[in-house]
Amino acid sequence: MKLLLKNKRALITGGCQGIGLAIAKSLAQEGADIVLADLKPREQAAEEIRALGRDCVLCQVDVTDEAQVVGMFEKLGGAPVDILVNCAGTYGPVKRIAEMDRASWDSAFALNMTGTMLCTREALKGMIARKSGNIINIASNVARRGLVDRGCYVSTKWAMLGFTQTVALENVSYNIRANSILPGPVDTPHLDEVMKIHASRDAITLEAMATSWRDGAPMKRFIEAEEIGKVAVFLASDMSSAMTGQGINVTGGFIMT
Ligand SMILES: NC(=O)c1ccc[n+]([C@@H]2O[C@H](COP(=O)([O-])OP(=O)(O)OC[C@H]3O[C@@H](n4cnc5c(N)ncnc54)[C@H](O)[C@@H]3O)[C@@H](O)[C@H]2O)c1
């Protein structure tokens, strides 16, 4: 059976756990070699990719640090990055805009948007030269709505859609596509942390909070990280060759526009 991503190399930021690792494994299963770029590199994650028969390079990088991002792409320069997945992200402060502090706002934008811009800019250099590339940005269902207490996170993810559309338009003539995935709540360790904060603010149990979030979607369940991985394969491959600048909802039916 022909693999969809044979002879491609994908770099995934935040690739060592959660959604990023699931995407990395899905791309590897379709033949891609992998670079896991993470603030906290985990050898175990790299081993999971190698167990699928693919090459895997582990890079320690803080994507908010321009010099580190530039240095990482320079080091990788010999072998191209065909697919970039911007997945490293934070949920940001759980605060109303009326209570927002500048430092936590700036810190969330630095990771979710500036990190995405820096990695995209560096990846584009090689992609433009080769006239080929594919960029996938992991946004969120909150890029289609507002959410009480989460205005900072919401703003970073709406920004990501505008960024994606612009990258798509600016680079279409170089045969580079850029799309976003907008997941609903995905069952990762981080989700529990966020739900705990919301549960404590609303003075309800974690289980009650989880039930209300699960019931928010017609499918009445959380999304599995592997389900985001499958959509990433679709966007990274020629299966989606006519799609660029799109934001794909993967929310169990919670968001339909
Ligand atoms: N889990 C969800 O329910 C959900 C829903 C919608 C969107 N998302 C988005 O998906 C992405 C991944 O979420 P997750 O739940 O897998 O998160 P996670 O916290 O489980 O994983 C994030 C990864 O990013 C890495 N990271 C953090 N800061 C970094 C930095 N400065 N530089 C490089 N790497 C860094 C972490 O070490 C970690 O490996 C985020 O952008 C998040 O906003 C998550």
Side-chain angles (χ1 to χ4, degrees), residues 6-47:
K6 198 164 167 7
N7 300 325
K8 301 282 185 197
R9 186 157 80 144
L11 184 149
I12 300 101
T13 71
C16 281
Q17 72 172 42
I19 296 173
L21 179 55
I23 290 174
K25 285 167 144 179
S26 297
L27 300 179
Q29 276 160 354
E30 285 299 335
D33 289 328
I34 300 294
V35 180
L36 297 177
D38 204 299
L39 188 62
K40 295 182 185 157
R42 287 196 310 121
E43 190 54 44
Q44 166 71 26
E47 285 307 321

Side-chain angles (χ1 to χ4, degrees), residues 135 162-173 176-179 243-246:
I135 296 168
F163 176 83
T164 305
Q165 291 184 10
T166 303
V167 170
L169 287 171
E170 287 178 351
N171 296 288
V172 71
S173 61
I176 296 167
R177 297 191 290 117
N179 292 289
M243 292 172 64
T244 196
Q246 303 304 303

Side-chain angles (χ1 to χ4, degrees), residues 13-20 37-40 61-64 86-91 111-112 138-141 153 157 182-191:
T13 71
C16 281
Q17 72 172 42
I19 296 173
D38 204 299
L39 188 62
K40 295 182 185 157
V61 65
D62 176 350
V63 296
T64 68
N86 286 303
C87 187
T90 174
Y91 296 91
L111 177 49
N112 292 5
I138 307 305
S140 166
N141 67 91
Y153 184 61
K157 295 299 186 177
L182 289 69
V186 181
D187 200 1
T188 66
H190 212 120
L191 181 64

